[in-house]
Every structure is written in C-alpha cells, then in structure tokens.
Amino acid sequence: MEFIKKHFDFKLHNVTLISILIALAIIPCVLFMPERFGYENGLLENIQLIVLFLGLYLSFSAKNDKKFFIFAGLILTILLLREVNCGRTIFFAIPGEENAFYTWKEIKYGYLAHPIFGIYIATVGIYFLKNKLFINLWNYITKTQLPIWNILLTLLGMGLGLLAEHSMHNMVLEEITELLFYVSLVGIIWIYSKTKLISD
C-alpha cells in the first residue's frame, strides 16, 4: 500500500477532468455531430492543433529538465506535422471538392516530403539518445507519482483512435478520440513539468 501511495497519483487534476469530459463526449459526438466536423481542417482537428500548440508552449517553457521537455516538444511537433500531413491538407486542397487533397505524387517536389519527415524523426531519436534522455524517462517512471488517470485516458484515446482509423472508418470517432489522446498527453506533460522526483 505504501508503494502505491508513493508511486501512483490518483488525483483528478484539472487537466484530467478535461480529458474525462472529452471521453464522456465521445458517444454523443459520434451520434449527433455532423460528419464534416471530423473532416481535415474541420472543427475537431482545429481544436487538436490548438491543444498541440499549447503542449509545445508547455514543453519549451518548462523550467526544469529542459532537454527532456524539449524532446517532448519535438515529439508533439511530429504529431502536429502528422495531423496536417506535413502541410498537405493545409496548402493543397483540391478546388471545388470537399475534404479532398492532392497526393504528394501530384505535387511538385512532393516526393521529398516523406524522406524529409523521416529525417526529422530520426534527428529527434538521435537527440534522445545523444542526451541520454532514456535515463530521465526512467527516473520519471520510477521516481515520480505516475498520473494514472491521465495515462489510462491517453491509452484509451490512442486505442480508440487506431480502432476508428483502421476498422470503423468513422471520421468523427477518429478525431474525437485523437483529441482525447492529445489532451491527455499534454496533461501528462503539464503535470510532469511541475513534478519533483521522489527522493530515494
């Protein structure tokens, strides 16, 4: 029992309550929200981008463990770029067609997009290894109180999002569960940016 109290945080932080509200809104959104709200550049995706930009601000302005939180910001940047398909869904919409975009093959120099994105991801990985941030990550896992509800909601959002994308093909479900994933993940970053390691 003492181990659980020391290493697991069951507190409902304000950011956790936001995630819970989004989780509770999933079924009503799927049942009643117009499908266009789940389109690229639609309402749900725009909210996701706001959440990710907020996460970037929290990461890059963190006062403690700056290198680790810079890494967290770089990961959020990968998620942000993925969300807008590296800008393809912002700048290359097909005129006159709803929720339709040119493929990278149809865009001049578009073949460079995936290699450049891959190089960026590899660079983030190198940053992680070069700065030995796996040690920091292990310390957060073993020497802090893990925010259980945020972690569970993050996993729930990720799991439901993958299910919606690959099996159910419901745009509103996919986007609302991705929003749950992003809000819960940014909530974890917010909690850890203010967390002190448990002394041995």
Side-chain angles (χ1 to χ4, degrees):
M1 184 62 70
E2 184 63 30
F3 176 85
I4 293 176
K5 288 182 178 179
K6 187 174 182 180
H7 290 279
F8 295 92
D9 175 16
F10 291 94
K11 181 181 177 180
L12 291 177
H13 301 269
N14 290 334
V15 288
T16 312
L17 294 175
I18 296 172
S19 297
I20 291 173
L21 289 175
I22 295 172
L24 293 174
I26 290 175
I27 293 178
C29 284
V30 171
L31 292 176
F32 302 112
M33 185 172 280
E35 187 180 15
R36 66 178 183 277
F37 284 11
Y39 287 171
E40 298 289 348
N41 306 317
L43 175 65
L44 291 174
E45 184 171 281
N46 288 333
I47 296 174
Q48 290 172 12
L49 296 180
I50 292 171
V51 171
L52 288 172
F53 276 115
L54 177 60
L56 288 177
Y57 172 77
L58 291 173
S59 298
F60 293 133
S61 63
K63 302 299 183 183
N64 59 304
D65 206 354
K66 287 184 176 295
K67 288 184 177 180
F68 184 82
F69 283 102
I70 287 174
F71 170 72
L74 295 176
I75 293 295
L76 291 180
T77 302
I78 291 174
L79 295 176
L80 194 152
L81 290 172
R82 173 191 170 277
E83 200 58 47
V84 296
N85 288 277
C86 297
R88 184 172 61 85
T89 57
I90 296 177
F91 302 110
F92 300 104
I94 298 176
E97 296 188 32
E98 192 174 38
N99 200 41
F101 307 89
Y102 291 108
T103 65
W104 284 118
K105 292 180 180 179
E106 298 170 317
I107 300 168
K108 189 175 183 180
Y109 304 119
Y111 62 89
L112 295 174
H114 288 140
I116 291 173
F117 190 43
I119 290 170
Y120 174 71
I121 293 175
T123 302
V124 173
I126 291 170
Y127 178 87
F128 178 79
L129 295 173
K130 181 179 179 181
N131 290 288
K132 299 180 180 179
L133 296 178
F134 46 85
I135 296 175
N136 305 59
L137 179 61
W138 180 248
N139 284 337
Y140 280 114
I141 293 172
T142 59
K143 296 184 179 182
T144 67
Q145 286 188 306
L146 299 174
I148 293 300
W149 299 121
N150 276 78
I151 291 172
L152 291 177
L153 289 164
T154 300
L155 294 174
L156 177 65
M158 181 170 60
L160 290 176
L162 291 172
L163 179 65
E165 181 179 1
H166 297 292
S167 301
M168 303 182 71
H169 306 292
N170 184 302
M171 291 184 177
V172 170
L173 177 59
E174 180 181 343
E175 296 302 324
I176 190 67
T177 52
E178 283 186 1
L179 178 60
L180 173 60
F181 170 68
Y182 294 145
V183 170
S184 301
L185 180 61
V186 170
I188 291 173
I189 292 173
W190 183 83
I191 292 169
Y192 274 123
S193 68
K194 302 177 182 301
T195 296
K196 293 182 179 180
L197 296 180
I198 298 172
S199 57
D200 294 325

